[in-house]
Amino acid sequence: MTTTNEELAYDFLDVVEQAAIACAHTMGLGDRHRSDRVAVEAMRARLDHVPIDGRIVIGEGERDKAPMLYIGERVGQGANGAEGLPEIDIAVDPLEGTNLCATGAPRAIAVLAASERGGLLHAPDIYMQKLVVGAQSKNAVNLDAPVAHNLKQIARCLDRGVEDLVVVVLDRKRHESLIDEIRETGARIRLIGDGDLTAAIGAAVVGSGIHAVMGSGGAPEGVLAAAAMRCLGGEIFARLIIDTPEKEARAKSMGIDEPRRIYTSADLASGRQLVFAATGVTEGALMKGVRFFGEGCRTSSVVMQTSPHRVQFIDTIHVKEQAGRRGLRF
Ligand code: VTB
């Protein structure tokens, strides 16, 4: 991804836009599997057009469990025989927050990250303990430090009181004691039903109203969050939760030699040339959801790269063929 890096970023933007538009049609239908399936199909179809020799490193699962976007699947024009294309590794979450989309709840997104080959960790689909903070606090926290210490440090870095902080935590039984510890500090909490990746992006953007994300979620989404952090300057501190010999063996078989160490974004997404693209499916603070208006639809996305280093918020109006004669009403 050298000379064509910028063009590829727009290709990847198109891929996440199409995935978001497809599953946004299923918003509120109460069928998360269907929402996920249409996002996967749309993403897969659009990836076919991208001029890369692509390989899925994080996707919908192992080959025997996922018909499309499975780990190891070749995608892009290279998969259809085109030669001489850049070799790119791809991590996808076609619909982050399937339940959010199925219920019409906010902050579902379609996501893709890409790197030159070898630049994204092959994370097993297990839980990962995570601490995500923005650029200002990243040198002052430690995944193994007590929650109260980290929150005090974040508050100091952000020049405010601990009670002024907002920490996002997935609303899960396994987080009961974490939530108690945060409450004891006086910090504010936003419990979310799903979507810790969306929250992680927020933690790295000043003004989003999120100052940290804590707790455990999916490891694959941790790698996607790491790619976003590399672009945004925030940081993720993470450790795989390996509580059975099977998980240990799985991690090892995926090339992870030190499964119990603390990873940062540079370990999880080590690529020199990273691209991260996400489009809002349902309403969110950073990205609006997809809005349909008869003649087409409007999407709100972020597309970011490490080289050249830039972050773009992109608002796209997609006009249906034949439409536009009456003028667009959006
Ligand atoms: C989900 C999802 C998160 O992790 O919670 C998942 O909402 C964790 O799985 O965004 P559980 O539902 O078993 O808790 C994420 O996918 C990403 O980390």
Side-chain angles (χ1 to χ4, degrees), residues 22-24 26-40 60 93-104 108 125 127 172 193-195 221 281:
C23 62
T26 71
M27 184 179 98
L29 296 183
D31 186 346
R32 60 193 227 111
H33 297 295
R34 176 171 165 196
S35 293
D36 195 44
R37 193 176 62 245
V38 296
V40 169
E60 289 295 288
D93 194 351
L95 177 54
E96 160 69 344
T98 52
N99 280 319
L100 302 177
C101 180
T103 60
D125 191 6
Y127 287 122
R172 297 291 189 277
D194 279 296
E221 292 84 353
V281 174

Side-chain angles (χ1 to χ4, degrees), residues 115-136:
S115 157
E116 77 275 6
R117 195 128 294 174
L120 296 164
L121 190 84
H122 298 216
D125 191 6
I126 59 177
Y127 287 122
M128 177 180 254
Q129 182 192 355
K130 306 173 190 176
L131 167 61
V132 187
V133 295
Q136 288 159 282

Side-chain angles (χ1 to χ4, degrees), residues 269-320:
S270 61
R272 275 178 300 111
Q273 304 204 312
L274 293 173
V275 177
F276 179 97
T279 298
V281 174
T282 59
E283 225 36 51
L286 286 178
M287 288 164 270
K288 286 177 185 283
V290 180
R291 286 140 293 157
F292 297 99
F293 53 87
E295 294 93 349
C297 66
R298 185 167 179 172
T299 55
S300 159
S301 307
V302 62
V303 58
M304 328 191 249
Q305 299 158 241
T306 52
S307 170
H309 198 159
R310 68 178 181 194
V311 176
Q312 292 170 278
F313 285 93
I314 294 189
D315 187 359
T316 308
I317 292 159
H318 308 258
V319 185
K320 277 187 195 161

Side-chain angles (χ1 to χ4, degrees), residues 135-155:
Q136 288 159 282
S137 333
K138 68 181 178 188
N139 296 319
V141 295
N142 183 327
L143 187 64
D144 286 335
V147 168
H149 172 82
N150 282 334
L151 291 178
K152 212 188 274 176
Q153 290 290 80
I154 296 169

Side-chain angles (χ1 to χ4, degrees), residues 60-327:
E60 289 295 288
E62 300 296 328
R63 186 181 196 143
D64 52 347
K65 300 217 183 74
M68 271 183 220
L69 299 178
Y70 54 83
I71 297 164
E73 184 178 3
R74 279 186 76 189
V75 293
Q77 291 179 11
N80 298 318
E83 288 177 10
L85 296 170
E87 295 187 335
I88 305 293
D89 278 357
I90 296 192
V92 296
D93 194 351
L95 177 54
E96 160 69 344
T98 52
N99 280 319
L100 302 177
C101 180
T103 60
R107 296 183 287 273
I109 57 175
V111 188
L112 178 151
S115 157
E116 77 275 6
R117 195 128 294 174
L120 296 164
L121 190 84
H122 298 216
D125 191 6
I126 59 177
Y127 287 122
M128 177 180 254
Q129 182 192 355
K130 306 173 190 176
L131 167 61
V132 187
V133 295
Q136 288 159 282
S137 333
K138 68 181 178 188
N139 296 319
V141 295
N142 183 327
L143 187 64
D144 286 335
V147 168
H149 172 82
N150 282 334
L151 291 178
K152 212 188 274 176
Q153 290 290 80
I154 296 169
R156 184 180 57 76
C157 295
L158 298 179
D159 202 16
R160 67 192 68 194
V162 171
E163 62 283 357
D164 301 328
L165 299 178
V166 173
V167 184
V168 175
V169 181
L170 275 167
D171 192 4
R172 297 291 189 277
K173 188 125 185 67
R174 63 178 182 272
H175 289 151
E176 263 174 13
S177 62
L178 169 66
I179 292 166
D180 285 347
E181 280 181 70
I182 299 171
R183 284 186 178 146
E184 270 166 34
T185 69
R188 302 166 73 210
I189 302 180
R190 185 192 291 165
L191 291 173
I192 55 167
D194 279 296
D196 67 354
L197 172 53
T198 313
I201 298 169
V205 175
V206 174
S208 68
I210 299 174
H211 308 107
V213 181
M214 291 182 168
S216 58
E221 292 84 353
V223 175
L224 284 159
M229 294 305 114
R230 290 279 316 280
C231 298
L232 289 168
E235 192 54 276
I236 176 169
F237 300 91
R239 182 187 278 123
L240 292 169
I241 300 180
I242 305 228
D243 45 14
T244 64
E246 291 74 35
K247 287 181 191 166
E248 173 129 32
R250 192 142 106 242
K252 291 238 158 92
S253 75
M254 293 177 83
I256 296 170
D257 299 326
E258 296 175 89
R260 287 188 174 75
R261 63 180 274 223
I262 297 177
Y263 289 103
T264 62
S265 57
D267 307 309
L268 298 170
S270 61
R272 275 178 300 111
Q273 304 204 312
L274 293 173
V275 177
F276 179 97
T279 298
V281 174
T282 59
E283 225 36 51
L286 286 178
M287 288 164 270
K288 286 177 185 283
V290 180
R291 286 140 293 157
F292 297 99
F293 53 87
E295 294 93 349
C297 66
R298 185 167 179 172
T299 55
S300 159
S301 307
V302 62
V303 58
M304 328 191 249
Q305 299 158 241
T306 52
S307 170
H309 198 159
R310 68 178 181 194
V311 176
Q312 292 170 278
F313 285 93
I314 294 189
D315 187 359
T316 308
I317 292 159
H318 308 258
V319 185
K320 277 187 195 161
E321 271 174 55
Q322 308 291 329
R325 266 185 253 137
R326 284 180 297 155

